[in-house]
Amino acid sequence: MSWYNKRLAKSLWVFHVSASPCNNCDIEILDLLTPKYDIERFGIKLVGSIRHADVMLVSGIVNQKIEPRIKRLYSQAPKPIFVVAIGSCMSSQGVFRESYNRCKEVKEVVPVDMWIPGCPPKPEAMIEGVAKLIGVLNE
Amino acid sequence: MIDLLFYLLIFPGLLFTAVLGLVVGWVDRKVSARFQYRVGPPFFQNFNDFFKLLGKQTIIVKDSVKSMFISAPLVSFGTLSLLAMLIGLPLFFGQSFGGDIFVVMYLMVIHSVMVVLGGSSTGNVYSSLGAGREIKLVLADELIFIIVILIPIVASGYELELAALIKAQSSGAFIGSVNGVIGFLAGLLCMQAKMTMQPFDIPEAETEIVEGPLMEYSGPLLGFWKLNHFMMYVVYPFLLILLYLGGFNLQGWGILWAVLKYLLIVVLMIILKNTNPRLQIDTALKFFWKILFPVVLIGLILAVLGV
Ligand code: SF4
């Protein structure tokens, strides 16, 4: 199994779910994908379909509308899949804690493997987070 | 019998093509990355991707036509291995097989047909859109491709065997003449369209219809689609080398020369890919039928006249 995990660690394909964020986290994720940070070095690639994904990047508070969709996306993904929660909204619901349409914390909806807090987290922080994920897989 | 299995499964066939394809796929990704001032992926990236996909769960879509959904990538994989053998045998061993160049022509369409069948079997909107675009793209490039194959046949004095085509070029490759240059360049553009690389990546347009026909595929089946794509990096340039560049001469310095020929075609393809944005489907159709078709037709006439 460890041989396979090493392969998996070297080729994480990322699918981005935007679960009603303020959009700032999304922009930081897009920054992460630009040539400046070049995460293809680590074999990370952004894919457009959840069926190809190994990592589900989720950002934002989970509101009423998006909650069933996250669940559905998670069930449509081929296992093994890792859920990485980006932003303070995910970990603590941040500035939207008192909002009228917030629903549940994301960990009640899907099992989260990793939190990357920050409002929004810098691309460097995200790279560090993903590197930690790779490190866990390599063990 | 053992010979045949060796040819099909190991040397010019499956294993050789798959490994070389994955390596050349890395060259493509690395050079593309350098074009964008990036570092690019490590050498074993494509191998890692493939083995990772083999170990993932396969989800078979509930509403799909299951037999078609599963068999499409595998049939395409088998056809490409066969093609690699058929083209590799005359290139490396100077032998001909039973069939001739028409067999190769038919086998080449099968991949596109399988993309269409696999894409439309899922019932996903984007997949069927992609499948429809693939049909249009095949319509656009197939005629040109046939004429591109016809030019060397005419130039060699109507030889249909692949080995005979190579032998006809022993005094000088077909690219040395005007019709050869026209045919080679048109052939390069056709390969680009057949491999759905930019600027003809219309069926798989990642940013608008998210990989089109491949959208619902996951796990090993997706892995085989990806591998098919990489195998085409070997099969199509080899065919062009066979038809226009005079095949390989595998003695002494000939090996270096052979590698250079292959790299020339691959690098030309990568440069084309990285310097052109995606066309619309009607523009692509117009390009092939209105511009390229008269040009290759002139090439064919020149070949008949012997210029
Ligand atoms: S964590 Fe901050 S930047 Fe990210 S979505 Fe929430 S409020 Fe916006």
Side-chain angles (χ1 to χ4, degrees), chain B residues 183-198:
Chain B
F184 178 74
L185 292 179
L188 208 60
L189 288 169
C190 275
M191 307 275 124
Q192 206 87 359
K194 287 209 168 291
M195 289 182 58
T196 59
M197 268 159 73
Q198 272 148 348

Side-chain angles (χ1 to χ4, degrees), chain B residues 17-29:
Chain B
T17 318
V19 172
L20 184 62
L22 289 173
V23 170
V24 172
W26 170 78
V27 173
D28 173 22
R29 286 174 76 170

Side-chain angles (χ1 to χ4, degrees), chain A residues 21-22 24-25 87-89 95-96 118-120:
Chain A
C22 78
N24 223 335
C25 278
S88 302
C89 276
V95 286
F96 298 115
C119 182

Side-chain angles (χ1 to χ4, degrees), chain A:
Chain A
M1 219 36 214
S2 79
W3 185 83
Y4 179 69
N5 281 350
K6 284 202 172 97
R7 301 283 86 70
L8 183 60
K10 287 193 178 113
S11 134
L12 291 170
W13 291 0
V14 174
F15 179 79
H16 174 200
V17 187
S18 152
S20 54
C22 78
N23 234 299
N24 223 335
C25 278
D26 295 353
I27 291 170
E28 288 303 308
I29 291 173
L30 291 183
D31 280 350
L32 180 64
L33 299 169
T34 52
K36 183 172 177 198
Y37 295 102
D38 185 27
I39 47 171
E40 204 186 10
R41 282 177 295 158
F42 311 116
I44 302 173
K45 194 168 94 168
L46 186 75
V47 291
S49 159
I50 187 72
R51 302 263 197 225
H52 306 174
D54 308 300
V55 175
M56 202 164 118
L57 281 187
V58 202
S59 59
I61 56 165
V62 180
N63 71 14
Q64 313 241 347
K65 267 204 159 149
I66 208 80
E67 187 221 331
R69 290 173 195 188
I70 296 186
K71 250 190 201 145
R72 193 156 160 218
L73 273 175
Y74 186 78
S75 64
Q76 284 181 336
K79 311 293 173 297
I81 181 127
F82 307 100
V83 180
V84 175
I86 302 263
S88 302
C89 276
M90 274 281 141
S91 38
S92 67
Q93 303 196 318
V95 286
F96 298 115
R97 192 164 184 85
E98 306 297 322
S99 168
Y100 62 93
N101 68 349
R102 79 182 167 80
C103 168
K104 290 176 182 167
E105 291 204 27
V106 67
K107 60 183 178 227
E108 296 164 29
V109 185
V110 288
V112 177
D113 295 288
M114 170 168 286
W115 310 89
I116 301 179
C119 182
K122 291 179 80 169
E124 286 89 341
M126 293 186 208
I127 293 180
E128 199 199 341
V130 174
K132 275 190 183 141
L133 183 65
I134 291 176
V136 170
L137 277 174
N138 270 335
E139 263 166 25

